[in-house]
Amino acid sequence: MIIIPAIDILDNEAVRLYKGDYSQKTVYSSNPWELVQGFNKNGAELIHLVDLNGARSADSTNKDCIIRIRKEANVKIQLGGGIRDMEKLKYYESLGIDKFIIGTSAVMNPAFVDD
């Protein structure tokens, strides 16, 4: 069995939304990279990150947080949320993100998936 820890990032914090409601959140950490390090120390080999700001509006509010996670964590990272074009995917790939989750874009822009 493979267990993949997931961290949702909103405004550079690790959060959990209540029923997907952005106004009802529980903040688990203001330093999500520390959570990733903890998961890695406990045997995780892959972490699933969701950029909730990116998912909601395609902005890059969490870019610096994601960069820090990548730099400070010795674990594979898969990222979803707001990756709607090849330019953003290539940017995160250049930072060392290992895998990508493509949701809405796969339906709205099948050519992106083909690329």
Side-chain angles (χ1 to χ4, degrees), residues 54-70:
R56 181 171 50 181
S57 64
D59 68 24
S60 297
T61 300
N62 299 308
K63 180 178 72 170
D64 291 337
C65 180
I66 293 166
I67 290 169
R68 187 160 181 186
I69 287 170
R70 177 66 284 160

Side-chain angles (χ1 to χ4, degrees), residues 6-22:
I7 299 174
D8 294 346
I9 301 172
L10 179 66
D11 299 329
N12 295 297
E13 297 178 314
V15 304
R16 183 69 57 214
L17 302 181
Y18 179 72
K19 295 185 178 182
D21 184 348
Y22 281 79

Side-chain angles (χ1 to χ4, degrees), residues 78-90:
Q78 71 181 24
L79 175 65
I83 302 170
R84 297 187 176 127
D85 57 48
M86 191 57 75
E87 182 179 343
K88 188 169 266 187
L89 188 146
K90 291 286 186 188

Side-chain angles (χ1 to χ4, degrees), residues 3 9 16 20 22 32 39 44 46 53 59 61 69 71 76 80 83 101 103 110 115:
I3 297 173
I9 301 172
R16 183 69 57 214
Y22 281 79
F39 285 134
L46 174 66
N53 295 92
D59 68 24
T61 300
I69 287 170
K71 285 183 180 178
K76 289 185 179 181
I83 302 170
I101 307 301
D115 289 344

Side-chain angles (χ1 to χ4, degrees), residues 3-60:
I3 297 173
I4 303 170
I7 299 174
D8 294 346
I9 301 172
L10 179 66
D11 299 329
N12 295 297
E13 297 178 314
V15 304
R16 183 69 57 214
L17 302 181
Y18 179 72
K19 295 185 178 182
D21 184 348
Y22 281 79
S23 67
Q24 296 186 58
K25 67 178 181 180
T26 301
V27 176
Y28 288 96
S29 177
S30 295
N31 303 313
W33 49 89
E34 292 174 357
L35 294 176
V36 173
Q37 291 170 339
F39 285 134
N40 186 221
K41 286 179 186 174
N42 285 298
E45 297 176 4
L46 174 66
I47 305 292
H48 175 81
L49 297 181
V50 178
D51 179 349
L52 291 173
N53 295 92
R56 181 171 50 181
S57 64
D59 68 24
S60 297

